[in-house]
Amino acid sequence: MLLPADPKANYLAHADEIRAAIDRVLNSGHYILGPEVDAFEKEFAAYCGASEAISVANGTEAIEVALRALGVPAGARIATVANTVTATISAIQQIGATPVFVEIDPDTMVMDPAALESVLEREGSSVKAVVPVHLYGQPARMAAIVEIARRHGIPVVEDCAQAHGAATSGKRVGSWGDLAAFSFYPTKNLGAIGDGGAVTTCNAVLAERVRLVRQYGWKTRYVAEVPGRNSRLDELQAAILRVKLRYLDTENNTRRTLASRYSDRLKSSRVRVPSVPGGDTHAFHQYTVRTKQRDALKEFLHARGIACGVLYPVPIHHQPAYRDPAIRLPHTEQACAEVLCLPCHPGITPADVDRVSDAIVGWQGPT
Ligand SMILES: *Cc1c(COP(=O)(O)O)cnc(C)c1O
């Protein structure tokens, strides 16, 4: 079966180096916030073009800790999108804020800056932050979003969980917002062997606040400067991530090569392929096609040994936990009904892409 992601294949590709890194940590006697975390934070910040990275326990807490560090008050509203993983919304709710959803651009499926502008005009000063999501590895329109947010005097927290290494207008994601949140969940483009996350920033004052919040609010040992929490990356995961970070650009290039092979082969098929705006470097965490007969195509491919993902089948405002029938987001709702994520990661080969593409080209639609 071809899988939508294959973290074990990625481990095996780097097994010797990962085992050596694990041994190094085991023998070091430092297991939490030691030299591996320090080194990884420096290396990852440099990779993103940010001045600092602060590692945390997972991507959800990276968003939460970032919002806390910004001092977003309970009761605030936070502008984000509804075609995201529920984690983005959980993080917003953890600080007692509520999401206000911004419509997406129907072609790229990321936050539409014009829609953000109208939400901010409509909601006034109740909106205290913007959280754009670089969905599938497609950067949101950051130049426009940052400009709009600055004009309204509100901070931007990028959700980069699917976009390590993606760039727009020559700048990598993670260097655009006041703060940015990454996940190292095992299936992400940069994945740990367990949970992990990081916040990046170019603002030294915010970086210091993130560091306080991540560990009990401690400025010096045992003395809390602010109310904090515990959200740490451990040394083992940091050491593993340092190995994998060295291969991230190569692996992202492999993803892009596979993606363009798909787009070539699927030209004459019944599905719509991703459109990447000029000047963007897509990280292809997912290669996502669209068809009105999504469920039929998914079943058709599954029967041929090809497992596809659907990110995400139900927009947040239609989910039981968050249902709000008053909210209408036609582009978002249509995207959720149509998207299908084909296998596209360094664990597959060009021949696999051809097999999937041939199956789709031969697909006659629902019977
Ligand atoms: C994976 C993901 C998260 C959450 O990351 P965790 O490490 O699983 O907490 C947040 N946002 C997006 C867009 C994601 O894909």
Side-chain angles (χ1 to χ4, degrees):
M1 184 67 90
L2 267 186
L3 302 171
D6 196 346
K8 183 174 176 185
N10 194 258
Y11 158 60
L12 291 174
H14 311 301
D16 291 345
E17 283 181 87
I18 289 172
R19 286 172 164 276
I22 290 172
D23 265 346
R24 190 171 71 229
V25 174
L26 293 178
N27 288 318
S28 76
H30 287 287
Y31 304 127
I32 294 283
L33 297 192
E36 300 289 342
V37 164
D38 278 349
F40 173 68
E41 289 180 344
K42 291 194 173 70
E43 290 158 11
F44 190 64
Y47 179 84
C48 296
S51 53
E52 289 192 59
I54 305 93
S55 57
V56 295
N58 57 62
T60 310
E61 292 180 1
I63 302 171
E64 181 197 331
V65 165
L67 293 170
R68 280 192 200 286
L70 285 166
V72 174
R77 313 195 71 196
I78 294 180
T80 188
V81 289
N83 62 333
T84 184
V85 68
T86 48
T88 313
I89 310 308
S90 315
I92 289 171
Q93 293 196 313
Q94 281 302 313
I95 64 153
T98 51
V100 45
F101 295 116
V102 178
E103 183 59 295
I104 56 169
D105 167 68
D107 292 325
T108 53
M109 296 185 276
V110 290
M111 181 181 280
D112 175 7
L116 172 63
E117 182 95 60
S118 37
V119 163
L120 295 179
E121 314 248 284
R122 186 185 77 213
E123 304 288 331
S125 59
S126 68
V127 179
K128 301 295 186 201
V130 186
V131 181
V133 178
H134 307 304
L135 192 70
Y136 310 136
Q138 165 65 58
R141 310 264 51 83
M142 291 314 296
I145 289 171
V146 166
E147 187 275 319
I148 293 165
R150 294 272 182 280
R151 206 158 14 83
H152 286 81
I154 57 174
V156 177
V157 176
E158 299 171 70
D159 182 341
C160 303
Q162 301 190 3
H164 319 70
T168 178
S169 310
K171 249 167 78 84
R172 281 204 166 139
V173 305
S175 68
W176 283 92
D178 297 272
L179 293 161
F182 287 86
S183 164
F184 306 122
Y185 184 82
T187 59
K188 310 289 188 186
N189 289 32
L190 178 60
I193 300 193
D195 274 312
V199 177
T200 57
T201 183
C202 297
N203 179 319
V205 174
L206 289 176
E208 173 64 12
R209 280 197 226 147
V210 171
R211 284 187 199 284
L212 294 183
V213 173
R214 137 176 102 176
Q215 181 165 243
Y216 320 131
W218 284 359
K219 185 149 188 181
T220 55
R221 201 165 186 82
Y222 308 130
V223 184
E225 181 83 7
V226 296
R229 61 179 341 285
N230 173 1
S231 183
R232 296 178 298 224
L233 182 73
D234 60 64
E235 287 282 287
L236 276 174
Q237 298 304 337
I240 292 166
L241 287 165
R242 291 182 70 200
V243 171
K244 291 204 181 185
L245 180 59
R246 295 201 284 273
Y247 298 98
L248 180 55
D249 278 339
T250 308
E251 293 181 352
N252 278 349
N253 281 333
T254 302
R255 288 173 185 271
R256 279 189 283 275
T257 305
L258 297 169
S260 69
R261 192 173 184 95
Y262 267 128
S263 290
D264 276 354
R265 306 242 152 187
L266 293 174
K267 252 185 227 137
S268 59
S269 76
R270 305 161 60 102
V271 303
R272 180 169 157 196
V273 301
S275 55
V276 184
D280 282 3
T281 305
H282 197 306
F284 284 104
H285 174 62
Q286 301 292 337
Y287 180 88
T288 304
V289 298
R290 297 179 64 167
T291 166
K292 289 202 182 342
Q293 287 90 38
R294 186 263 314 284
D295 294 339
L297 178 57
K298 183 170 188 253
E299 263 181 52
F300 174 88
L301 292 174
H302 198 268
R304 282 154 187 79
I306 301 158
C308 297
V310 176
L311 282 65
Y312 292 97
V314 184
I316 302 291
H317 61 295
H318 288 179
Q319 298 194 10
Y322 307 108
R323 187 169 285 136
D324 185 346
I327 298 175
R328 290 265 179 320
L329 300 162
H331 295 317
T332 302
E333 291 155 20
Q334 195 182 346
C336 290
E338 294 183 356
V339 292
L340 186 66
C341 307
L342 308 180
C344 183
H345 52 81
I348 70 165
T349 64
D352 292 327
V353 169
D354 294 352
R355 181 160 82 82
V356 178
S357 304
D358 289 347
I360 295 175
V361 169
W363 176 56
Q364 297 303 316
T367 41

